[in-house]
Amino acid sequence: MALEVRTDFPGGNACAIETAALPERDVVRFAADPRGGTEALWFWIRIEGCTGRPVELLLTNADTCLGFGAGGRTTRPVYRHASGDWERVTETEIRELPDGQHEAVWVVNPRASSFDFAFCYPYLPEDLAWTLSECPGYWHEAAIGVTQKGRPLTHLANAFGNEPAQAAGIYVIARQHAGETPGSWVLDGILRHARRAVDPARVLLWAVPFAHLDGVLEGDYGKDPFPYDLNRAWTRPPMRHEVLVIQRDLHRWARRCRPALVVDLHGPGAAETEGAYFHLPRPSRPEEHVDATRAAALFIRERLPAEFIREQPDVQATYASRWSDGGILSSYVWDTLGIPSLCLETPYAQIRGRVLSREEYRRLGAALLDALVAFTQA
């Protein structure tokens, strides 16, 4: 019986799918579907009809995936059997084809008739619901608007603040790029730790867990889609409805606290293995914006566990951009609120040879929250 490959579930993504039965194993060939975006990287497939034979999973056209190509040996996708938990693959093979292209190959030995296979640990609204259930009474969840496709877009608040403002304020956003799930797992660590570590009377903490919720549920990678990536649409007026919704919420938060910092959680290209790092504003931005962001990044990174952080912990982008420097979250926050916004990039698979688990992402999130709170009190 031939294998069946499915993507018709929340977060599913793959295209150009082919299956084959070889004498000693089954083969599934697939590509990461860009879903209208310039970049491709995220995938999540479900393989059904396994008979116990090894399944070789082959990602075609790896060179067209962001940061993948020949450097993809450091990636460690995850798999999960129907009744089990997510596991990392132990090895990635990169094959060079006769024409110079590369394809990535993994082998899974099924322990059940079906299993899921994804680029990194998925994180869906059901994962957030589980975390919130373990923090009873602390987080308030409310719809702040709808997405481009009419789904409720929610935020979390540890308190509602007041006017005139009393508490210091931190605002966190995750998943502007829908496939960058490390950002969600870092946020998960923030959410869990806040219940023990943050007094809402002292620090007003608001978060948007799924900025690009449509993309999260539809399995988009979500980086540079046509016509506007969420993190390129922070113009005035904004170019995406989700951005308008979050802008309105951001200004409500700023009126109800003493705003200190906005944090934007991302995942980098596939080949990044040296550790988490902060993106600084481009050199074209006002000098005071760059300096304030660099100072905040320095304060925060010195309080994070060294094993998580890149040796060069901040990066100022100088490569060519398709977009205006003024259209990203960091620029909007500085231009309208006059406070820094930190963009933290956390790798998908490993840091200096240590493969990342969900608990390690959460540990980074907890440490990040402690550093953020210290920054508000400095």
Side-chain angles (χ1 to χ4, degrees):
M1 182 174 65
L3 297 181
E4 180 181 357
V5 182
R6 296 176 50 195
T7 62
D8 58 342
F9 53 87
N13 174 297
C15 61
I17 298 168
E18 301 175 358
T19 62
L22 301 183
E24 296 180 352
R25 66 187 185 280
D26 295 314
V27 178
V28 175
R29 298 172 61 90
F30 66 96
D33 191 339
R35 298 281 173 83
T38 304
E39 304 288 1
L41 187 59
W42 175 254
F43 58 79
W44 183 1
I45 58 178
R46 181 165 297 152
I47 296 96
E48 298 181 342
C50 302
T51 60
R53 287 156 39 98
V55 177
E56 182 179 81
L57 299 126
L58 195 153
L59 176 68
T60 62
N61 308 119
D63 303 277
T64 65
C65 292
L66 182 66
F68 213 109
R73 289 180 180 84
T74 58
T75 62
R76 293 291 183 270
V78 298
Y79 64 97
R80 175 183 65 182
H81 294 93
S83 58
D85 199 2
W86 290 105
E87 305 173 56
R88 291 272 194 188
V89 300
T90 58
E91 185 178 5
T92 297
E93 178 187 357
I94 300 294
R95 294 175 183 167
E96 184 171 356
L97 304 180
D99 64 357
Q101 293 191 75
H102 296 90
E103 56 187 20
V105 184
W106 304 277
V107 176
V108 171
N109 292 297
R111 300 191 296 272
S113 61
S114 68
F115 67 93
D116 284 18
F117 187 73
F119 179 65
C120 187
Y121 298 111
Y123 193 99
L124 293 171
E126 63 197 55
D127 298 291
L128 175 64
W130 177 255
T131 290
L132 296 181
S133 74
E134 298 193 337
C135 305
Y138 187 84
W139 290 108
H140 308 278
E141 185 175 21
I144 55 175
V146 297
T147 67
Q148 203 77 32
K149 296 186 177 180
R151 297 181 173 104
L153 182 61
T154 64
H155 80 173
L156 303 171
N158 69 341
F160 301 126
N162 50 50
E163 300 180 52
Q166 296 176 3
I170 301 169
Y171 196 99
V172 185
I173 298 176
R175 304 290 282 280
Q176 287 210 76
H177 300 145
E180 295 179 356
T181 61
S184 280
W185 289 107
V186 172
L187 177 60
D188 199 87
I190 290 174
L191 299 178
R192 290 170 180 269
H193 187 52
R195 181 186 174 203
R196 301 184 296 272
V198 179
D199 178 358
R202 296 185 63 203
V203 177
L204 189 67
L205 178 57
W206 289 15
V208 177
F210 300 107
H212 188 8
L213 178 62
D214 291 338
V216 169
L217 295 175
E218 294 173 13
D220 297 351
Y221 178 37
K223 188 172 175 63
D224 290 345
F226 181 84
Y228 284 99
D229 177 322
L230 244 70
N231 198 32
R232 315 294 189 260
W234 287 80
T235 51
R236 289 178 286 171
M239 303 302 291
R240 293 275 303 247
H241 184 68
E242 293 94 335
V243 172
L244 180 148
V245 168
I246 299 171
Q247 285 178 350
R248 301 281 169 84
D249 193 57
L250 188 63
H251 287 281
R252 276 192 298 272
W253 163 82
R255 291 192 298 270
R256 293 168 170 267
C257 66
R258 292 179 287 105
L261 198 62
V262 174
V263 182
D264 189 18
L265 300 173
H266 285 257
E272 173 57 53
T273 63
E274 295 307 306
Y277 62 93
F278 294 103
H279 259 307
L280 298 180
R282 287 176 174 267
S284 59
R285 290 291 298 166
E287 185 177 353
E288 58 270 25
H289 178 200
V290 177
D291 290 346
T293 306
R294 181 180 282 114
L298 174 63
F299 185 98
I300 300 299
R301 79 191 190 210
E302 287 182 344
R303 289 160 177 78
L304 297 179
E307 65 266 27
F308 286 113
I309 304 302
R310 243 175 97 164
E311 189 171 327
Q312 181 189 355
D314 50 42
V315 174
Q316 189 173 40
T318 56
Y319 50 81
S321 174
R322 306 178 183 96
W323 313 100
S324 162
D325 295 349
I328 65 173
L329 171 64
S330 172
S331 299
Y332 178 84
V333 169
W334 180 262
D335 292 344
T336 62
L337 298 178
I339 61 172
S341 175
L342 293 181
C343 173
L344 180 66
E345 303 270 2
T346 305
Y348 290 96
Q350 57 179 292
I351 294 177
R352 294 187 288 277
R354 189 179 81 255
V355 177
L356 294 169
S357 66
R358 287 166 295 177
E359 200 48 51
E360 286 183 303
Y361 286 125
R362 287 174 174 143
R363 188 161 70 89
L364 174 58
L368 176 62
L369 179 60
D370 286 341
L372 294 173
V373 171
F375 180 83
T376 70
Q377 308 301 316

